[in-house]
Amino acid sequence: MRALLVPMALLALLACQPHSATSVYGPWEEGLTLAFEDPSQPQPQRSADRLQVRVARCKLGRDVTSLVQLDLVNPRGQMSLLVTYQGGGSMLVDDSGRVLAQLLPPGFPATSTWKDRDTEFTLVGRAAWDGAAMLPATSDPIGVWVEARSPQGLRHRTLYLPNLGEVESREERQGTWVVVNRLVARGFTDLPAIKRP
């Protein structure tokens, strides 16, 4: 019986893994829990405002589309988001599958420019994340920087890593790039972060 547990555990772990040649630039492993802080805030406010993102469930569809529920919790409240990964892209969707926002376009990172609503996105380039020492040795530390420009001309840059998604975000403030969101912890939790009725 014990000899069957290891293969069964491996199958369960791989059951939700996207099976496509393209990388998934977002979290998808059930139980994966990520914590983010805003380094531009002073302590202890930075730690007090920490955001936790947990992959609550992942469903793999016939067309190799992954539907992932992310539970977000911070001291001000909690919420759940649904994200679909397909062909390198990712979309925020509602319960009926209607697309609310295109986070990354199909074909990403081969697609270098796109637009969602009135915001223009440009792929800036690849880079090694300087915080990758906190990740397991099996994680890819090379990510892709994407710049978002609002209709008002505000610029925001986000570094995406395979299988994690956003690990760092920066805002342009008076000609200087300031880190406003950064992954500070990664692990797995067994219990849901959000209480359900």
Side-chain angles (χ1 to χ4, degrees):
M1 181 69 171
R2 181 168 246 171
L4 291 175
L5 289 178
V6 173
M8 288 173 64
L10 285 173
L11 284 174
L13 176 67
L14 295 173
C16 195
Q17 184 171 3
H19 301 284
S20 64
T22 57
S23 294
V24 175
Y25 285 87
W28 55 267
E29 295 175 274
E30 284 191 7
L32 178 63
T33 304
L34 308 172
F36 296 87
E37 290 182 0
D38 178 352
S40 69
Q41 289 185 332
Q43 287 289 17
Q45 191 65 39
R46 179 190 318 172
S47 296
D49 287 345
R50 181 179 278 203
L51 172 68
Q52 177 179 292
V53 178
R54 181 179 180 277
V55 179
R57 63 184 169 96
C58 175
K59 183 190 283 186
L60 187 65
R62 289 185 202 164
D63 58 355
V64 196
T65 299
S66 297
L67 179 65
V68 175
Q69 177 184 325
L70 301 175
D71 289 346
L72 285 69
V73 179
N74 73 8
R76 290 180 294 284
Q78 54 192 24
M79 66 183 292
S80 291
L81 300 175
L82 291 176
V83 179
T84 296
Y85 301 124
Q86 184 176 25
S90 59
M91 298 166 284
L92 184 64
V93 297
D94 65 13
D95 290 335
S96 65
R98 183 173 58 96
V99 176
L100 303 174
Q102 183 79 51
L103 305 173
L104 295 172
F108 183 83
T111 305
S112 60
T113 60
W114 67 96
K115 191 172 186 177
D116 185 55
R117 309 262 184 301
D118 291 328
T119 303
E120 296 177 353
F121 295 89
T122 305
L123 189 144
V124 177
R126 294 188 175 276
W129 185 44
D130 62 4
M134 64 168 281
L135 302 177
T138 55
S139 290
D140 187 351
I142 306 299
V144 182
W145 279 105
V146 171
E147 181 173 298
R149 184 184 292 266
S150 73
Q152 297 77 27
L154 301 174
R155 297 194 308 165
H156 186 269
R157 287 187 177 173
T158 302
L159 180 63
Y160 294 92
L161 288 186
N163 302 315
L164 289 174
E166 176 183 336
V167 293
E168 185 171 311
S169 288
R170 300 176 181 181
E171 286 180 1
E172 187 181 37
R173 296 180 182 172
Q174 300 175 343
T176 302
W177 289 101
V178 177
V179 179
V180 293
N181 196 40
R182 186 174 173 94
L183 179 65
V184 293
R186 175 203 176 277
F188 285 85
T189 55
D190 296 323
L191 299 174
I194 292 182
K195 296 177 184 172
R196 289 184 172 60

